[in-house]
Every structure is written in C-alpha cells, then in structure tokens.
Amino acid sequence: GMDSSLRSFRTMEPFGGHQVRGASWSPTSEYYVAVSGNRRAKVFAREGREQFECPKGDQYIMDKSKTKGHVAMLNGCEWHPHDRHLFVTCACDATVRFWDAETAAKKQKDIIRLRNARGGQAPSVTAVRFELGSGDRVAFAAQDGSLHLYPTKGPYAKAAARVDDAHMGNSETSSLCWSADGNRLLSRGGDDTVKLWDVRAFGKPVSVARDLPNFFAQTSVCFSPDERLVLTGTSVKKNAGSGTLVFLDPNDGLARTRELGVSPSSVVAVQWHPKINQIVCGCGNGDVKVLYNPRTSEKGAKLSVVRTARKADLADFRATGPIITPHALKLFRDDDQSRLQSSKRKREKARRDPLASRKPEAPVTDKYGHGARTGIGSESAMLLAPTIRERAKEPDIAEKIRAQPKGDWSYYTKAYADTQPKTLLDTSEHPEDVVSDDEDAAARRKKQK
C-alpha cells in the first residue's frame, strides 16, 4: 500500500488530456465509470484497465431520443447503489441517459429528455444522483436552476416532482446529495448557496446557507455519516486567500459550526468516508488533503503516515526531461559510417523491390517445384484423369503420318469416303506450276535488292 511518501501506485489519463468531470464506483467496487469534457463515458476495471466506451450520438438528429448516446459534453455520472449493471450520465444535450453495463458499448438503456418550462431551449443537465437507500429515484439539476425527481424505472414522460427556481438561473448546480432515508436532498448551487430540501414537500427549501463562493462546476456537498453535519468547500481566486472546508448544521438552519482552512487554492471535491471515518478534499491546485482523527479513524491515511518510505533505488529513477542516447542525433554521427549504413539500407530496399531491381518474373511452378502452369484443382484433376489416360494410349499423330507408305493417301482421303467415294486428287504436275531453278534464283536476288 501507500507509504509516507504518499505516491500513487498508478497514474493514468483516461481521456487523453480532457478534464475528468466525474467518476463513480459500482456497488461491488469491481468497476468505475468516468466522464470528461467529451461525449463518451468510459468504464474501467479496478486496476485501471479500460473495459468499454459508451457510444456517442449523431448530433444532426433533432430528436435526442433517437440517438444511441450523448451528443454534447458530459457533466456527471453515478452508478446505481445496488444494481451492479446500471449507471446514469448527464450532459449538455439536456438528457439523462441510463446505461446497462452489458449493452452500454452499443446503446443506452433509457433516456430522460429535459424540456424548458418557459418554452425556450432545453437547459444543460449539470448534476445527477441516485437515491442512496433504495435507488428507486434519481434526482438531477439543470442549468436554468431547476431540480427534477424521476423514478429510476420510469415512466419518464413527466417528472415525479420538480422545482423550477431552486437556484439562480444560468448558474451551474454543481452537486446533489441524498440522505440515507431518502427524504432529504442537498443541492450546491452556482449562486454561492447550499439548500436543504424535503422531497415530500418539494416546493420550498427547508434551509439555505449563503455566502459560500463557488467558482467550479464540480464543487460538491455531502452529509456526514451520522447526518448531523453537512460539508462543502469554498472557492477563492488565485492569490486571494485560502479555500476552506465548511461544516453546516442541517438541524439548525444550515448554520456554520466550523470552518477549516485546507488549501491555498479552492476546495472543490469533499467526501466523508463512513467506514474509515476520514474526510478527503480535492483542491483546485491538484492537491488531495485527507483529514482524520487519530482515535476514531481507521486504516486509510493512518496506515500511510506510519509506514516508512522505501529507500531510493536506481530502478526508481525517473527522468525529468528527455533522455538522449549517445550518437542518436545526426549531429554526433560519423558522416562516413552514416553514409555507408544509409547506402547499404538503400541497396537492400531496392533489392527487395522487383521493379527497382529489374528482377525477371519467376517461372510458374506447382507445389512440387516442377515448371508447369498449374491452376487445376484436385477435384477437376480427378474428373479429367480418365480422359488423360485415354489420350496417353493413342499413338502420336506425327508418327502415324510418317508411318504411311509413300504415295498412299488413304489416311487423308478416308474422311471423304462417304461423300466422295471416287478420288478427285490430281497428282500430275502442270507445266505452269513448275518453276525452274534459274527463275527461283532470280526471284531471290530481286528480293534481296
């Protein structure tokens, strides 16, 4: 595990430079889903191996329910607290999509399309959360400041509950959090507020905490394990103070009970782990802070701070810049040697090219190496074998002609035995057809001239 050097055992870039906007573990901790600024969510194994990537939809189709995936930037994701195959994503295309891990690589399972109550363009969905207890309801927030509750298994034609002015319009509600009994819901707004809602009377908030600066679209809010406190972080501008972790009392109108300076930058993500009793804070400068109680906390950071860091080893060397091997650059190469190697490679390459080397075409051979044009299959050879054997028995035609007695034309005239019984072949020589030797020699000399 981790030692006092606090170095991670593995580092990965799941989206090739895109910002990771959300991640959530499956209930069995076998897999986790992550989303970024692109349109495709990815599912990874616990060791970090990518399992599959959700498809993206066609952005030119107007009806978003006909697309097989999101068509705009993703904003959040959440795995179902009990179903190991079901997870949900939300995006700027005004949709919430449910995915089955068995078929998520091809198409989403269900979709909720958000509509603007005022008739304008549908707003982006900025946060989504399943109910922690049963997982039968899902809550999500939109950029127009509205909150929506839907049953997980549908129907999705109309929201089970909705508040249009939950937060200020055109601000990003960055986080939602359910209570364990499913009756209360926390929302962290981009209007610098935290609001506590009773979903049984969803019209107005029960309590409101103000003056909590929020500059990030991922600033989170959460309950403590016993739900006696509410935690959230505050944002600060660069070199303008320190980000703080704020503790609020949900039973006293979200009054501030304590405020801790955690980082010189903003405190964005906050999570209180119920089993090890430790608070993890993600900061705007890339730091991760872990707060624990030496008496009541278990494992986690307590195991790391007491474990001695491993001694430096040559195998652990990490270069901070590019490594240039000797004579790797052309500047340091021997010109003669480089020229010889280059010309040798060119000759070898030209030799392999039949056009450049002018290599004659190789003779066609069969599989036994005999020079013959083969192209007949085994089945055809079997069918033609009897014909080939019969032809082999027949005598050679040239031999047959040479074997005929001189002056015997019966070999040629027997074809006319039925149509021309009496031979009409004239064997006499006509004087006009006979050419003398002198005339023949004169004709050859004329041709040569």
Side-chain angles (χ1 to χ4, degrees):
M2 184 181 293
D3 53 30
S4 58
S5 64
L6 303 181
R7 289 172 54 184
S8 61
F9 76 96
R10 181 171 298 163
T11 302
M12 56 182 294
E13 289 188 10
F15 298 99
H18 283 281
Q19 178 191 16
V20 178
R21 300 180 64 88
S24 178
W25 285 95
S26 66
T28 58
S29 298
E30 293 179 276
Y31 307 102
Y32 65 91
V33 58
V35 298
S36 71
N38 61 9
R39 295 179 285 171
R40 311 179 72 175
K42 290 184 179 181
V43 174
F44 299 87
R46 180 168 49 192
E47 297 81 9
R49 297 189 305 272
E50 181 179 337
Q51 300 299 301
F52 61 84
E53 185 177 23
C54 297
K56 60 181 178 180
D58 189 346
Q59 59 184 347
Y60 298 105
I61 298 178
M62 298 300 295
D63 189 357
K64 299 299 185 293
S65 63
K66 303 299 183 182
T67 60
K68 59 183 179 180
H70 287 288
V71 298
M73 180 179 68
L74 294 168
N75 290 323
C77 61
E78 177 80 2
W79 210 297
H80 194 277
H82 306 297
D83 190 344
R84 60 189 294 266
H85 296 293
L86 181 64
F87 62 92
V88 65
T89 57
C90 64
C92 292
D93 59 0
T95 63
V96 174
R97 299 177 190 256
F98 297 89
W99 305 83
D100 188 340
E102 298 291 336
T103 59
K106 298 180 179 179
K107 189 179 180 181
Q108 79 269 352
K109 179 180 179 182
D110 289 304
I111 181 174
I112 299 176
R113 296 166 54 197
L114 187 61
R115 294 177 175 85
N116 194 328
R118 300 175 179 84
Q121 183 179 2
S124 303
V125 183
T126 58
V128 62
R129 285 293 181 272
F130 281 112
E131 180 188 345
L132 292 179
S134 61
D136 293 337
R137 290 178 293 181
V138 60
F140 59 88
Q143 196 169 12
D144 61 355
S146 59
L147 293 178
H148 306 259
L149 297 182
Y150 278 83
T152 301
K153 297 182 180 180
Y156 307 123
K158 186 178 179 180
R162 172 174 179 162
V163 180
D164 290 330
D165 299 321
H167 289 276
M168 184 177 67
N170 295 324
S171 65
E172 295 193 24
T173 303
S174 56
S175 179
L176 300 173
C177 184
W178 287 87
S179 62
D181 58 6
N183 293 329
R184 295 184 295 176
L185 180 68
L186 286 170
S187 61
R188 180 67 160 103
D191 53 1
D192 301 342
T193 63
V194 171
K195 295 186 178 182
L196 178 65
W197 306 83
D198 189 338
V199 297
R200 295 168 295 186
F202 205 40
K204 294 183 179 180
V206 176
S207 305
V208 180
R210 306 182 188 278
D211 300 326
L212 299 170
N214 181 9
F215 302 156
F216 293 84
Q218 295 84 30
T219 302
S220 59
V221 64
C222 68
F223 281 105
S224 62
D226 57 5
E227 297 187 359
R228 295 172 59 184
L229 292 172
V230 172
L231 283 73
T232 189
T234 61
S235 303
V236 293
K237 295 183 179 180
K238 188 175 181 180
N239 301 325
S242 299
T244 60
L245 178 63
V246 182
F247 295 82
L248 307 173
D249 188 354
N251 300 317
D252 189 16
L254 293 178
R256 300 193 187 196
T257 61
R258 192 172 182 181
E259 193 168 352
L260 295 177
V262 175
S263 172
S265 64
S266 303
V267 177
V268 183
V270 178
Q271 183 68 40
W272 193 328
H273 198 285
K275 293 185 178 180
I276 63 176
N277 194 30
Q278 297 177 20
I279 302 172
V280 182
C281 302
C283 304
N285 60 356
D287 292 342
V288 177
K289 305 287 186 177
V290 180
L291 309 178
Y292 66 95
N293 188 314
R295 292 177 296 175
T296 60
S297 298
E298 299 179 0
K299 299 181 179 180
K302 293 181 65 177
L303 298 178
S304 302
V305 296
V306 299
R307 183 172 294 168
T308 305
R310 192 163 58 113
K311 294 183 179 180
D313 191 0
L314 292 177
D316 298 332
F317 172 74
R318 293 186 179 183
T320 57
I323 300 177
I324 302 176
T325 58
H327 307 293
L329 298 178
K330 187 176 182 180
L331 178 64
F332 300 103
R333 292 180 183 173
D334 187 357
D335 293 339
D336 295 336
Q337 185 68 18
S338 176
R339 194 182 306 110
L340 290 175
Q341 293 178 356
S342 177
S343 60
K344 181 179 178 181
R345 286 195 296 267
K346 289 180 180 179
R347 289 196 303 272
E348 292 177 351
K349 184 177 180 180
R351 182 60 182 168
R352 291 192 295 268
D353 187 359
L355 296 179
S357 61
R358 299 181 181 180
K359 181 179 179 181
E361 183 178 358
V364 180
T365 59
D366 57 11
K367 63 181 180 179
Y368 302 108
H370 302 299
R373 290 191 176 272
T374 61
I376 208 168
S378 59
E379 183 177 355
S380 301
M382 180 182 67
L383 295 175
L384 295 175
T387 305
I388 295 173
R389 286 195 296 269
E390 291 295 330
R391 288 184 178 180
K393 295 178 181 179
E394 296 180 359
D396 188 12
I397 300 299
E399 294 293 337
K400 202 170 184 179
I401 293 175
R402 285 194 291 269
Q404 296 293 327
K406 188 174 182 179
D408 185 6
W409 304 100
S410 61
Y411 181 77
Y412 305 100
T413 58
K414 66 180 180 180
Y416 306 100
D418 296 334
T419 59
Q420 197 177 60
K422 187 177 180 179
T423 304
L424 299 179
L425 180 64
D426 186 4
T427 59
S428 63
E429 295 181 353
H430 296 275
E432 60 271 13
D433 295 335
V434 177
V435 180
S436 64
D437 295 339
D438 297 337
E439 293 177 349
D440 189 16
R444 285 198 300 271
R445 286 194 300 272
K446 186 177 180 181
K447 186 175 181 181
Q448 290 176 358
K449 291 180 180 180

